[in-house]
Amino acid sequence: MIPEFAVIGHPNEGKSSVVSTLTEDDQIKVSPVPGETTISRNYTITIDGKEIIRFVDTPGFQVPRQTLAWFKAFDGDQDKITQGFIDAFRNDPFYADECELLDPVASGAGVIYVVDGSRPVRDDDLAEMEILRLTGQPRMAIINSKTEDKDYTRDWKLEFRKHFNSIRVFNSNTANFTERIKMLESLKAIDQEWEYALSRVILAFKEDWQKRNQLVTTLMIQSIEKSLSFSISEPITESFDQKEIKERLNEKYQNHIKDLENKMFKQIRALFKHHLFEVHLSEYSILKHDLFSKQTWELLGLTKEQLAAAGAIIGGTMGAFIDTAAAGITFGVFTVLGGVLGAGSALFGGKKITKKKRAGIRFGGDKLKLGPNKNLQFLYILIDRALIYYSHMINRPHGKRDLPGQPKNTYSKKKGYSTGFTASQRNVCANFFKVVTGRSFIKEKNAGPKFEELIESILNEISRE
């Protein structure tokens, strides 16, 4: 038998939202309309093909005071009180919701009682708490504040201490992986007999999360490596026009890199089980800016001082990196393949080549090439965007349905993760960059593994934030 918990409470207190967040299932219907859930539904978490824990989303209490009166008057075996109530009123429409929500409890499920901490404690709530106490099942109380306008947490805790084995503030609209683990740790305290099973559940969650981070690491490195090494070319003809061909190549180049990034983003989103949730980024999110925009290059990547030090490592100069970054589009990586076009040609002069043949010049074997990108800052831009997206995914609770606006920020400094890298971490990135872009004469065998280790350690660090 796997651990099972019935999520119980008054209508519209956030029970379905809590279940959605705990199970990482954004397909659970969450509605602001009271009484949306009328039938208990089981949601089992499966890891590596094994069922490890089950949560039951139940209807809300409808007639708690009448139900409590029956519980208090019951004079039979107290171990069978919950089943006795269900047997007595199974076919009575008046108690339909109460029978439905108590059914998993009668079958042995633990209780997670959810309340909205932004409202005061009422008589019906006290009745519900007493009913759950009389069931005799291990139980935890969760304060799930739905708004920040008012806070009655202290009052709720005073009442909860009289009825529950464990109490926890758990906001299903903000809870991340760390908060979910902390809640499972608290569940261990509700009954000693459940401690071993829940310890195994927690271990399974942590191991699964680690596997996901390893997969994200692989996805990030593959996408970054393909982006850094990508190049595109086009034959040069007699009617060659520098501006036109550069614009065409640049558009194809950018679209390909952005496609690689978007594919990685979708795979990361799927790994963290955001199936219905489309990535509605805040209007002021850094990721709202285009990958190749001036704003992106101003807000992400290394500082000028850090680039100066990095340039010494890979054999470049700070000026070259800053200048090409400011260009925003071409990054100064257009080259000619074939070599018959000299410095006086249209490639450098900007005018069309005349259709008249010139002695010794043949068209057909020459190409204009864009990429691969030799700008170290590009590596850090890609890293920052991937890490920001990852952070967005792991911190987006599955029970969250609203999309509140965020205050506009005035950006005055770098906003990515890479500026916080240590000198040794930047050295790891530089060595990886040299190998991928062919700048390293002697291929360093450890460059890739060290970069992989670095990225995974950063993902783990972000997870713990």
Side-chain angles (χ1 to χ4, degrees), residues 350-398:
K351 296 180 180 179
K352 285 186 177 181
I353 296 176
T354 61
K355 292 185 178 181
K356 185 179 178 180
K357 285 188 177 183
R358 298 180 184 177
I361 297 179
R362 299 174 60 189
F363 299 102
D366 298 293
K367 293 181 180 181
L368 183 63
K369 177 186 176 185
L370 176 56
N373 199 309
K374 301 292 186 178
N375 189 345
L376 177 62
Q377 184 75 309
F378 189 45
L379 168 63
Y380 288 102
I381 298 295
L382 294 172
I383 291 173
D384 277 340
R385 285 174 63 89
L387 293 177
I388 289 170
Y389 188 85
Y390 166 83
S391 177
H392 188 66
M393 285 296 97
I394 67 170
N395 288 298
R396 168 77 193 194
H398 293 71

Side-chain angles (χ1 to χ4, degrees), residues 240-293:
F240 166 70
D241 182 279
Q242 176 186 352
K243 182 178 179 181
E244 180 183 342
I245 195 170
K246 277 189 173 183
E247 288 179 350
R248 185 163 58 249
L249 281 176
N250 181 64
E251 182 179 1
K252 292 179 180 179
Y253 176 87
Q254 289 193 16
N255 287 339
H256 182 81
I257 301 297
K258 286 186 278 191
D259 285 345
L260 288 173
E261 184 183 65
N262 287 331
K263 181 180 179 181
M264 175 189 63
F265 284 171
K266 288 180 180 179
Q267 290 172 317
I268 292 175
R269 190 184 81 174
L271 272 176
F272 292 98
K273 305 179 183 181
H274 290 290
H275 303 296
L276 295 183
F277 167 59
E278 295 295 334
V279 187
H280 298 289
L281 298 170
S282 160
E283 181 183 351
Y284 307 110
S285 170
I286 293 174
L287 293 183
K288 274 287 189 178
H289 297 303
D290 186 90
L291 170 60
F292 295 96
S293 72

Side-chain angles (χ1 to χ4, degrees), residues 17-295:
S17 178
V18 167
V19 173
S20 180
T21 294
L22 288 176
T23 59
E24 293 185 283
D25 188 344
D26 62 359
Q27 300 183 74
I28 295 175
K29 190 170 184 179
V30 175
S31 172
V33 180
E36 185 71 28
T37 303
T38 58
I39 299 174
S40 294
R41 298 187 184 278
N42 297 339
Y43 296 95
T44 303
I45 297 177
T46 302
I47 295 178
D48 293 334
K50 297 180 180 179
E51 296 182 346
I52 63 167
I53 192 170
R54 180 178 299 114
F55 295 96
V56 185
D57 189 14
T58 68
F61 278 103
Q62 297 295 328
V63 286
R65 280 180 277 186
Q66 292 90 332
T67 302
L68 177 58
W70 186 93
F71 267 72
K72 285 184 174 180
F74 182 74
D75 59 358
D77 186 346
Q78 290 298 307
D79 288 341
K80 299 178 180 179
I81 187 172
T82 309
Q83 189 60 53
F85 175 84
I86 295 171
D87 292 341
F89 299 106
R90 188 183 300 278
N91 298 316
D92 188 336
F94 187 76
Y95 291 103
D97 287 332
E98 268 67 13
C99 288
E100 185 71 17
L101 70 90
L102 289 172
D103 188 61
V105 179
S107 299
V111 172
I112 296 177
Y113 181 62
V114 180
V115 301
D116 178 5
S118 63
R119 67 167 180 81
V121 182
R122 302 174 298 207
D123 289 341
D124 278 357
D125 303 314
L126 297 176
E128 292 166 9
M129 293 182 210
E130 183 62 12
I131 291 168
L132 296 176
R133 187 186 71 82
L134 292 172
T135 66
Q137 283 301 102
R139 54 205 175 278
M140 166 190 274
I142 286 182
I143 302 172
N144 177 43
S145 295
K146 298 175 70 176
T147 69
E148 297 180 357
D149 298 335
K150 296 180 180 180
D151 186 8
Y152 294 91
T153 299
R154 181 176 178 276
D155 296 338
W156 282 107
K157 285 184 176 179
L158 288 173
E159 293 300 331
F160 282 163
R161 291 187 182 108
K162 304 172 186 176
H163 299 86
F164 292 91
N165 310 98
S166 182
I167 305 167
R168 187 158 195 88
V169 175
F170 182 84
N171 192 326
S172 59
N173 282 323
T174 61
N176 56 19
F177 173 73
T178 300
E179 285 299 313
R180 296 200 302 273
I181 291 296
K182 287 180 179 178
M183 205 199 90
L184 289 172
E185 292 280 4
S186 297
L187 276 176
K188 286 167 55 178
I190 65 176
D191 193 298
Q192 188 175 359
E193 293 183 3
W194 293 54
E195 188 173 341
Y196 176 74
L198 287 170
S199 294
R200 292 177 62 85
V201 170
I202 293 169
L203 179 61
F205 268 107
K206 290 181 177 179
E207 289 178 343
D208 178 63
W209 194 267
Q210 188 63 43
K211 289 178 182 178
R212 293 195 223 177
N213 277 351
Q214 290 169 352
L215 288 170
V216 172
T217 299
T218 300
L219 292 172
M220 281 184 58
I221 292 175
Q222 288 177 345
S223 179
I224 290 172
E225 189 169 350
K226 288 178 181 178
S227 297
L228 290 176
S229 60
F230 176 69
S231 64
I232 187 171
S233 61
E234 186 172 314
I236 297 173
T237 64
E238 291 186 28
S239 59
F240 166 70
D241 182 279
Q242 176 186 352
K243 182 178 179 181
E244 180 183 342
I245 195 170
K246 277 189 173 183
E247 288 179 350
R248 185 163 58 249
L249 281 176
N250 181 64
E251 182 179 1
K252 292 179 180 179
Y253 176 87
Q254 289 193 16
N255 287 339
H256 182 81
I257 301 297
K258 286 186 278 191
D259 285 345
L260 288 173
E261 184 183 65
N262 287 331
K263 181 180 179 181
M264 175 189 63
F265 284 171
K266 288 180 180 179
Q267 290 172 317
I268 292 175
R269 190 184 81 174
L271 272 176
F272 292 98
K273 305 179 183 181
H274 290 290
H275 303 296
L276 295 183
F277 167 59
E278 295 295 334
V279 187
H280 298 289
L281 298 170
S282 160
E283 181 183 351
Y284 307 110
S285 170
I286 293 174
L287 293 183
K288 274 287 189 178
H289 297 303
D290 186 90
L291 170 60
F292 295 96
S293 72
K294 181 180 178 181
Q295 293 93 334

Side-chain angles (χ1 to χ4, degrees), residues 320-331:
F321 293 142
I322 299 301
D323 290 344
T324 53
I329 302 175
T330 66
F331 310 100

